[in-house]
Every structure is written in structure tokens, then in C-alpha cells.
Amino acid sequence: MTLRINSRGAQVAKLQAELKAANLPVGTVDGVFGKNTLKAVKLFQARHRLGVDGMVGPKTWKALLSDGKSPAGSTKKTTAPSSAPRGTVVNGYVRGVPRKIRIAPIGNGKNMRADAAAKFNQMKAAARRAGVTLSPVSGFRTMAQQKSLYAAYRAGRGNLAARPGYSNHQGGTSVDVSTNGSYSSSAYKWLARHGRQYGFVNDVRGEPWHWTFRG
Ligand SMILES: [Zn+2]
């Protein structure tokens, strides 16, 4: 299927996730092929010496899906290649116990446990229709990532972070959404009204951004 300006849907979201993984500024992964997506596609085509027509046909797809080692070099596809529709199995932790979990993309290069990711993406689309952007700033975290956040917290340089192994982010069920740290942000207010419907609760006091999937 060829995607072009004004295309919509899951394939567009997949395209946007791939562009993002290639370090291109695509904006929100929302499944709508708008101006930002068009610009990112053209940049990508130029970078790969494809015809720069802003249309995503077989050649552009092929280049996107094999772009793991892009010339920009800084993209590391160590967790979930967004082309894997059913997600990627990683080492997570649940209440201190290592556990294999399957994660899937939620946008901005972040991931959640696959079931939570599916619900988050649905919720994000609903918020979008209401004019509210749910932009994930943290999702699934590896042990190394949690250790470094915990160290920063202990040193007084970061937000409250759970002991490594014990964060819901390591089980892939928590997501931090951009709220400017404010309970009066549109993202928080929308989530407070609708999050539960998608299985998400705000379970850390003082952290309007932190939402956990309880199913
Ligand atoms: Zn969090």
C-alpha cells in the first residue's frame, strides 16, 4: 500500500514509528500522514537517495525497514523494532523477580508490555480525537535504565524512582506522559477522566505524569 499526505491508520502509525526510529522529526505518532510526516519522509528519501516524492511505496518501505543502521548512526534498535507487530521479548522485572515480557511501541521510541501498549495506543488515539496529546516520555525500562534513574534520585538529581527491579516501568505496565508536571495540564485532566476506561490509573502521588496499566 502506498501512503501519502492525508493517509490515515495503523500503517501510517507504523511509518511514523519507523521514521522516528531513523531519528527523523515526525512529531506525534498518531496515524495521520500530515505535514510533519511528509517532511520526515522526504528527508528520509533524500538521505537514502530515493526519489524525493513524499510518497511511501515499496522502495521507501524497504529502505525504512532495513534502516536499523542508518547513516545517522545513533539509532539503536535494541528493544522493539516497530516493524514487529506482535512485539519483542525482553528481560523485565516484576516485584524484584526477573521475567520475560513482550513489549510493543507506544510512540516516541518508547514501549510498554504488549497488552498495555495496545490499550495505550487506543487511548492515545481517543485523546487525539479530543484534541489532547498523550506523549510518552518513559515506558518500559531496562535494569540499567532504572539503576541510573535510581542513582540520580538518590543523589537528589531526579524524580522519585523505585528501587531497581521494583518499578512498574520494568514490568512494562507504567508510562510517564508529558504533563509539564502539572495536574492542570490537558493530558492529566483528560487521563483523569478517561484513563480508567482503558485500564490506566495514576498510582503515584505527586506524579501527574505516571500512569499504570491495571487492565
Ligand atoms: Zn513513572
Side-chain angles (χ1 to χ4, degrees), residues 8-91:
R8 280 166 184 264
Q11 285 296 103
V12 176
K14 180 174 162 182
L15 165 67
Q16 292 171 323
E18 289 295 338
L19 290 166
K20 211 147 211 173
N23 276 339
L24 288 159
V26 54
T28 312
V29 174
D30 57 3
V32 181
F33 194 135
K35 275 182 295 183
N36 289 335
T37 306
L38 180 65
K39 203 182 285 178
V41 166
K42 286 183 172 174
L43 279 168
F44 180 85
Q45 290 174 326
R47 190 199 272 181
H48 288 261
R49 302 182 199 291
L50 298 159
V52 181
D53 59 3
M55 310 233 293
V56 183
K59 278 186 194 157
T60 302
W61 268 122
K62 192 171 166 222
L64 270 166
L65 296 175
S66 58
D67 190 48
K69 296 185 183 73
S70 70
S74 56
T75 306
K76 277 189 254 148
K77 286 197 171 183
T78 49
T79 49
S82 45
S83 51
R86 289 165 54 217
T88 301
V89 175
V90 295
N91 295 310

Side-chain angles (χ1 to χ4, degrees), residues 138-139 141 160 167 169 174-177 204 207 209-212:
S138 183
R141 294 177 191 153
L160 172 67
S167 168
H169 285 282
S174 285
V175 58
D176 295 340
V177 168
V204 176
E207 295 196 351
W209 58 83
H210 179 93
W211 291 78
T212 298

Side-chain angles (χ1 to χ4, degrees), residues 84-105:
R86 289 165 54 217
T88 301
V89 175
V90 295
N91 295 310
Y93 279 82
V94 177
R95 286 186 282 276
V97 181
R99 186 176 293 179
K100 296 274 181 206
I101 56 171
R102 186 176 290 278
I103 59 171

